[in-house]
Amino acid sequence: MKIMLFFCMMFSFLLQGCTSVKPEEEPPTEVVAPEEQNTTKSTFQEEKIFGTYNIPDDWIFLDNYSSEESAYYTKKGEDITNQTSYISVEYRQNQYTKEEYDTLVSAILYQLKLELKEELYHQLITESFTSKNGFSVFRVEVNDKQNEPPVKTTQYYIAGEKAHVLVQVTNFGQENMEEIAQNIVESFVWREITI
């Protein structure tokens, strides 16, 4: 049941209006660039037994839902309900070495096929890439528009040595969560651990 919650997801989009110059007005002769805004959010480094990664300052650690091997976060000020958008970072052991990344991906897809409704499985969006720190990452996206409310789940599997870290976004319509998850993945660095 917990895994099904992880696979429900949704994006919300903002519409931007535009204005136009009236025909009788002359366009300005000099174009002035708007002042640059600092869009970089302040972050802090989270240190766990399995690795380190960056989290935005306006996100909080959910102690009641977390353990040594998993960390759950939500935006400050959010009420915790069964429809709260959140990001989790979880350490999981597996039987695959770093060199067996393709086999790990096949195992993940097979597990998803067993757990997801057939129509959701056939609509999966997947990609593989290498993080800035040199780790192989498998990304899976599921949009469950039939859920009430619709929910979007994005998972990033960061491959390690007979282990992986799963960064998961469960989004019921909050903005910028994908960007935050990508920053976690790109800043992630493995630690040597024995659990």
Side-chain angles (χ1 to χ4, degrees):
M1 185 69 172
K2 180 179 177 185
I3 195 78
M4 287 307 294
L5 176 62
F6 290 152
F7 292 110
C8 302
M9 333 181 226
M10 161 182 162
F11 273 141
S12 63
F13 296 96
L14 295 175
L15 299 175
Q16 291 182 327
C18 60
T19 59
S20 59
V21 177
K22 293 180 186 176
E24 62 270 14
E25 294 180 19
E26 290 185 27
T29 56
E30 182 180 343
V31 178
V32 179
E35 288 185 30
E36 288 186 23
Q37 295 179 358
N38 184 3
T39 57
T40 319
K41 291 188 176 183
S42 179
T43 62
F44 65 93
Q45 187 176 67
E46 188 74 277
E47 297 187 17
K48 298 295 177 192
I49 60 170
F50 52 84
T52 61
Y53 50 90
N54 295 335
I55 292 287
D57 284 341
D58 60 345
W59 279 67
I60 57 169
F61 177 72
L62 299 174
D63 194 43
N64 292 344
Y65 299 91
S66 303
S67 68
E68 278 190 348
E69 298 170 11
S70 65
Y72 287 77
Y73 303 90
T74 192
K75 194 166 176 75
K76 273 184 190 170
E78 290 287 314
D79 291 330
I80 307 301
T81 69
N82 62 351
Q83 296 176 3
T84 300
S85 296
Y86 66 91
I87 295 176
S88 62
V89 182
E90 299 180 65
Y91 170 83
R92 296 180 178 177
Q93 292 181 321
N94 63 52
Q95 61 190 20
Y96 309 107
T97 64
K98 291 178 188 177
E99 292 75 26
E100 296 175 303
Y101 170 76
D102 291 338
T103 308
L104 171 64
V105 168
S106 296
I108 292 166
L109 288 171
Y110 179 74
Q111 188 66 34
L112 291 174
K113 186 173 185 174
L114 295 177
E115 294 172 352
L116 290 174
K117 292 183 244 178
E118 187 175 350
E119 63 270 15
L120 289 178
Y121 180 77
H122 290 298
Q123 295 172 7
L124 286 179
I125 299 170
T126 64
E127 71 173 313
S128 287
F129 63 93
T130 302
S131 72
K132 290 179 183 174
N133 290 321
F135 303 113
S136 297
V137 181
F138 181 58
R139 180 184 178 275
V140 179
E141 180 182 311
V142 181
N143 277 303
D144 189 350
K145 296 177 182 177
Q146 303 302 316
N147 191 62
E148 190 52 50
V151 62
K152 177 182 177 183
T153 301
T154 308
Q155 296 181 323
Y156 297 85
Y157 295 84
I158 306 170
E161 191 64 30
K162 296 198 173 183
H164 63 272
V165 164
L166 171 60
V167 177
Q168 179 168 292
V169 178
T170 302
N171 190 352
F172 290 94
Q174 189 169 314
E175 299 169 45
N176 302 324
M177 289 187 69
E178 188 77 19
E179 179 183 332
I180 292 165
Q182 288 172 355
N183 288 336
I184 291 171
V185 171
E186 295 294 354
S187 65
F188 182 80
V189 176
W190 279 99
R191 276 190 178 162
E192 291 296 324
I193 62 168
T194 52
I195 293 184

